[in-house]
Amino acid sequence: MLPEGNWISRAPSLKRKAILIAKVQDEAGHGLYLYSACETLGITREETINDLHSGKAKYSSIFNYPTLAWADIGAIGWLVDGAAIMNQVMLTRTSYGPYARAMVRICKEESFHQRQGFEILLVLSNGTDEQKAMCQDAINRWWWPSLMMFGPHDSQSTNSEQSMMWKIKRKSNDELRQNFVDMCAEQVKVLGMKLPDDKLKWNEERMHYDFGEINWDEFWNVVKGNGPCNKQRLDARKKAWEEGEWVRVAAAAFAEKRKTKQQEAA
């Protein structure tokens, strides 16, 4: 739910606040779906959370970038959620049933998130000069991290070949990234903005857009835990877990009490 959660109290209107709250609620649900899918593999939810807190488990590199302005919420919706959908639609047909079924609902909700984000940018792009500049700045900062979401080149990915063989993945990292670039290169024209890539150009022979090289040093640096907000994000997650312990204890006690009453009634 980070980095969007810290903009709930700063949203520019009640309407925007309500929409963002709904989005954050959706994202919390997505986490629960995927924790449940993990549990079908024989690992407990507590183990997966402990792995996250210890640094053993990795999470998407995109969550380690700061949101500096309201326009960032729009850019996250359009670009980050758009990249997620590009990955996740493919995963609705993955070979692992629990994961595939979770992705069906997640994709429907992410589609709402993407449209909400694009609409934020559309409003800003038709606003004042300052709002237009804010919109362009957010696109400039989130474009390359969004492309990084698809992972390293296929030739450098340690898991892609096996995932493709097992049909966990249906398309490669580079295929999905190309599809995403093709989509955004057209959509950005509606905003009247530009993608921050001087090498972005339509290739008539390939029938795809050519685009520049990603800064892979930055990508690996973030993945290894050295991104702009890595420590901040993980500290916030640990703090939420510790402060929420009383809720888990109370919920477990209530469930046990209700179970006892049901057994006595039977």
Side-chain angles (χ1 to χ4, degrees), residues 151-168:
H153 285 307
D154 298 326
S155 59
Q156 299 173 346
S157 176
T158 57
N159 300 313
S160 280
E161 185 177 354
Q162 185 179 68
S163 295
M164 293 286 283
M165 181 178 65
W166 287 354
K167 299 190 185 302
I168 296 172

Side-chain angles (χ1 to χ4, degrees), residues 122-134:
L122 186 61
V123 170
L124 292 173
S125 69
N126 286 285
T128 65
D129 290 343
E130 185 179 5
Q131 288 172 324
K132 291 176 182 177
M134 184 194 303

Side-chain angles (χ1 to χ4, degrees), residues 68 94 165 169:
L68 306 180
T94 188
M165 181 178 65
K169 293 176 65 172

Side-chain angles (χ1 to χ4, degrees), residues 149-240:
M149 286 179 66
F150 296 97
H153 285 307
D154 298 326
S155 59
Q156 299 173 346
S157 176
T158 57
N159 300 313
S160 280
E161 185 177 354
Q162 185 179 68
S163 295
M164 293 286 283
M165 181 178 65
W166 287 354
K167 299 190 185 302
I168 296 172
K169 293 176 65 172
R170 296 285 181 164
K171 289 186 178 182
S172 70
N173 295 352
D174 289 330
E175 281 183 280
L176 290 168
R177 187 166 19 245
Q178 181 67 68
N179 292 343
F180 180 69
V181 171
D182 292 346
M183 178 184 73
C184 291
E186 293 299 319
Q187 291 178 345
V188 76
K189 297 175 183 178
V190 178
L191 297 174
M193 298 289 152
K194 293 183 178 180
L195 296 176
D197 185 353
D198 294 336
K199 295 182 179 179
L200 185 70
K201 184 179 180 180
W202 177 252
N203 186 318
E204 194 66 34
E205 184 178 343
R206 294 197 311 118
M207 297 300 289
H208 289 289
Y209 277 91
D210 293 333
F211 58 98
E213 186 66 13
I214 292 169
N215 183 342
W216 292 112
D217 289 338
E218 177 185 338
F219 169 78
W220 290 114
N221 196 44
V222 175
V223 168
K224 291 175 182 177
N226 302 313
C229 297
N230 283 62
K231 186 178 185 303
Q232 178 185 340
R233 299 289 186 247
L234 205 51
D235 285 349
R237 189 66 189 83
K238 291 176 181 177
K239 184 172 182 286

Side-chain angles (χ1 to χ4, degrees), residues 249-264:
V249 171
F254 176 77
E256 184 63 30
K257 184 177 180 180
R258 184 170 60 177
K259 180 181 177 182
T260 300
K261 284 185 176 181
Q262 291 173 341
Q263 289 173 342
E264 290 173 352

